Amino acid sequence: MKYTAIEKLTSTYNVAAVYAVGLFSDASADEQAQVLNALPESLQPLAKGHIQAMHQATATSSDCGYAALSSLSVIAENVTAQSALLVFGLGERARLDYIRLRHCAAQVTRWVKEKPFSTLCINLPASCYNLDKAALAILEGVDLSVFEGLWVRQTHKYKSDENLANDWENQNLKETQLVNPSCSQVELDAYRSYCRAVHLSRELVATPANIATPQELLAHAQRIAENHSLQLNVLDENALKKNRMNGICAVSSGAIRPLFLHLRYKPAMETALGPLALIGLGLTFDPDGLSQGHSGTIEGMKKNMAGAANVLAAAEIIGQQQPARQVDFILPLAERDRSLRSGDLITLSNGETIEINGPHIEGHLMLADALLFAQTLGAERVVSTATLSNAPVACLGTQIAPAWSSNEAATAQLIRAGAMAGEQVWPLPIVHEHQATLVSPFADYRTPREEFGAGLAALFLQQFVGEMDWSHMDISGTSWSAVVDGYLNAGATGWGVSTLVNWVDIVAKADADINAGKKNND
């Protein structure tokens, strides 16, 4: 799929093109004229006549006349041989946000992709692009709304890596043009690469577990490291045992061997600030997925590697963006193929011991190892993400991810990162009064029992955070969609990739400003 930034539309029809015009419900006459006059001359009477008819039908003493512009209007599908004119509503100007803009772009694309058009021209009021990363919101709406997962195709044929994230094959639509988008072609190309990385996360989660193994994720990590000059350190089972990372080893001992991947992005300029770290749980197959209530279908068994898939995608984007801060990407990977017995003792790399106190704690053990590893790297701030518990879905549903943090500042930064991405993060407390439930007479800690929910899981993980600023985001509900919703098709969502990328950007800039202020004071 090609994305092109153009200054204006041509004065004549582009054969096989869809002209999509977005207008605010409270658009002024001048703004409306500016948008419509940018259309090819022969289309302008059609568009203006349609808007005028809507004005006459809806205008009241308390109404600007464009209240009906709340959804997609197909004015003319076959203006010439293969052309169409669409008008879609952006809602009220003051209420336009990233989510709304992305939703509108997805709505248009869903209509277009079923038609015989090769080009989509999107023309919006100039004020739309005052929204931060407006062009990225549009590209996400267009590019991500076509993803259906390669494995739902009739061919059921896994593609080679260069085509992995290309779900545009067999689609008529080949190019999207943004009229005067207030960003360069280089930025549009970068946004396309951004969407490709989200596609990668979606596809890895959607791929059957016999293919999306730890070794398969390693292959993608190697490609990302090579393409973006990242350092890659791989710990196999022998290295894990040597380093006493027994939390991961305890989960898997069958034919599919566990791996621990550590990718590192280092900026060109050295910085005195400590590294940031992103940790993504990669439980590539969990036979307890059904019993834990993950939708009652097979995705509950394979989607528990969504955290690792998101962090891998974030590594690709951050490798492209090259922020001025070191970022470490940590992926503990294993396929659960054995049952831990209640009462078993596990010794971690720091010498502390854990007593197994019930089922469904494999992810907790793997993340404990990963958090301890992040401490050895000297990470100052860390975000871990996983599908640890289905409990938050009961109260937050599938559109909001809960988060727990070691302090309020860390919480605020993660919430802001999610808001910038159109991904809502909801803070939940770590209840320290429950600390007694983690006390064991035989070990330093015991694993949290499932009936105590996700909050106790967060309290357990906090035991291995040390002095790091830490947040944990649970994506059990958001990583998979059962229905078509906005830019999401049914299936893996890639939800959280953008939040992680934004978090790195926010924290890196905030810490740099603080550091600069200290130097000025000195």
Side-chain angles (χ1 to χ4, degrees):
M1 179 66 168
K2 179 182 179 182
Y3 294 93
T4 309
I6 60 175
E7 291 186 6
K8 61 181 180 179
L9 294 169
T10 59
S11 59
T12 57
Y13 288 121
N14 181 359
V15 176
V18 176
Y19 296 89
V21 178
L23 290 173
F24 291 113
S25 60
D26 53 353
S28 66
D30 288 343
E31 183 177 59
Q32 174 192 321
Q34 182 183 15
V35 175
L36 298 183
N37 289 340
L39 289 168
E41 293 180 2
S42 51
L43 287 180
Q44 292 178 22
L46 280 171
K48 293 176 181 178
H50 177 75
I51 299 300
Q52 184 178 9
M54 294 176 66
H55 176 82
Q56 293 173 347
T58 62
T60 67
S61 58
S62 61
D63 186 345
C64 68
Y66 303 110
L69 278 178
S70 59
S71 60
L72 188 67
S73 296
V74 181
I75 298 178
E77 182 171 341
N78 291 303
V79 178
T80 59
Q82 286 182 318
S83 297
L85 174 62
L86 309 180
V87 173
F88 61 95
L90 297 166
E92 296 177 10
R93 183 192 314 276
R95 300 183 65 180
L96 181 70
D97 59 12
Y98 194 97
I99 296 175
R100 176 64 181 165
L101 191 55
R102 181 174 60 194
H103 177 82
C104 289
Q107 186 182 34
V108 170
T109 306
R110 289 191 188 282
W111 185 89
V112 173
K113 74 174 186 176
E114 302 298 332
K115 307 293 182 179
F117 303 114
S118 62
T119 304
L120 169 61
C121 305
I122 298 178
N123 188 21
L124 301 176
S127 59
C128 283
Y129 292 103
N130 294 334
L131 189 68
D132 188 35
K133 295 185 178 179
L136 177 57
I138 296 169
L139 260 67
E140 283 187 347
V142 174
D143 208 83
L144 300 182
S145 64
V146 301
F147 179 86
E148 297 177 354
L150 304 182
W151 275 88
V152 301
R153 295 190 177 191
Q154 292 181 351
T155 55
H156 284 199
K157 188 176 182 181
Y158 194 73
K159 294 191 174 184
S160 60
D161 183 67
E162 63 266 21
N163 292 319
L164 176 67
N166 183 7
D167 203 44
W168 287 96
E169 290 186 3
N170 302 321
Q171 298 278 352
N172 294 309
L173 187 60
K174 301 300 182 184
E175 180 180 5
T176 295
Q177 298 177 347
L178 302 188
V179 181
N180 199 18
S182 301
C183 69
S184 67
Q185 184 62 48
V186 173
E187 289 175 297
L188 277 188
D189 292 341
Y191 289 158
R192 173 62 187 96
S193 298
Y194 193 113
C195 292
R196 175 186 168 87
V198 178
H199 273 301
L200 173 64
S201 174
R202 289 179 169 189
E203 188 56 34
L204 287 173
V205 175
T207 298
N210 67 317
I211 296 175
T213 61
Q215 288 69 27
E216 174 70 13
L217 269 67
L218 170 59
H220 291 286
Q222 290 171 328
R223 174 186 59 81
I224 291 169
E226 181 178 353
N227 290 347
H228 304 293
S229 300
L230 306 184
Q231 299 174 12
L232 174 60
N233 181 30
V234 182
L235 301 181
D236 61 13
E237 188 173 23
N238 290 331
L240 289 170
K241 290 179 178 178
K242 182 178 180 180
N243 287 279
R244 296 199 301 178
M245 299 173 77
N246 296 312
I248 300 174
C249 294
V251 173
S252 178
S253 61
I256 305 298
R257 315 310 295 179
L259 290 174
F260 189 92
L261 308 185
H262 171 214
L263 284 155
R264 169 171 288 176
Y265 163 78
K266 291 194 71 172
M269 298 287 292
E270 291 288 338
T271 174
L273 298 172
L276 308 177
L278 298 176
I279 299 174
L281 175 65
L283 200 55
T284 57
F285 188 76
D286 182 4
D288 280 337
L290 289 177
S291 62
Q292 289 189 60
H294 291 301
S295 305
T297 52
I298 191 65
E299 59 261 24
M301 298 186 180
K302 65 181 182 180
K303 78 170 188 178
N304 284 341
M305 46 77 69
N310 281 2
V311 169
L312 200 57
E316 181 150 39
I317 296 170
I318 290 169
Q320 295 165 356
Q321 294 182 344
Q322 299 186 342
R325 184 75 173 269
Q326 179 177 312
V327 186
D328 289 285
F329 308 91
I330 301 169
L331 291 82
L333 308 174
E335 175 177 308
R336 181 178 178 271
D337 57 15
R338 59 171 291 184
S339 294
L340 291 165
R341 297 165 298 195
S342 292
D344 282 359
L345 294 183
I346 306 296
T347 303
L348 300 180
S349 59
N350 65 349
E352 292 183 324
T353 55
I354 297 175
E355 178 192 4
I356 305 304
N357 190 35
H360 313 319
I361 45 74
E362 291 76 17
H364 304 65
L365 298 176
M366 294 168 68
L367 286 176
D369 269 338
L371 287 166
L372 291 173
F373 183 82
Q375 286 191 57
T376 67
L377 302 178
E380 289 187 356
R381 307 184 193 279
V382 60
V383 170
S384 56
T385 183
T387 56
L388 270 192
S389 171
N390 211 40
V393 181
C395 60
L396 296 179
T398 59
Q399 298 292 320
I400 304 173
W404 298 262
S405 300
S406 56
N407 58 67
E408 292 184 0
T411 301
Q413 288 173 331
L414 191 61
I415 291 173
R416 182 185 168 201
M420 290 172 58
E423 299 173 337
Q424 189 173 1
V425 178
W426 194 266
L428 291 178
I430 297 177
V431 184
H432 293 279
E433 287 77 5
H434 293 162
Q435 185 75 38
T437 63
L438 301 180
V439 175
S440 167
F442 307 107
D444 295 297
Y445 307 103
R446 65 172 21 154
T447 57
R449 292 190 64 85
E450 187 177 17
E451 58 264 29
F452 284 94
L456 189 57
L459 179 61
F460 174 80
L461 294 179
Q462 193 179 34
Q463 312 308 307
F464 311 101
V465 168
E467 298 300 317
M468 300 184 297
D469 275 357
W470 163 76
S471 296
H472 176 72
M473 184 168 63
D474 194 296
I475 55 174
S476 291
T478 58
S479 62
W480 194 277
S481 177
V483 297
V484 173
D485 186 9
Y487 75 111
L488 302 177
N489 282 4
T493 64
W495 196 105
V497 174
S498 298
T499 295
L500 296 178
V501 173
N502 289 342
W503 177 82
V504 168
D505 184 58
I506 290 170
V507 172
K509 289 179 179 177
D511 286 354
D513 290 343
I514 293 172
N515 196 47
K518 289 180 179 179
K519 288 183 178 179
N520 291 335
N521 291 333
D522 294 341

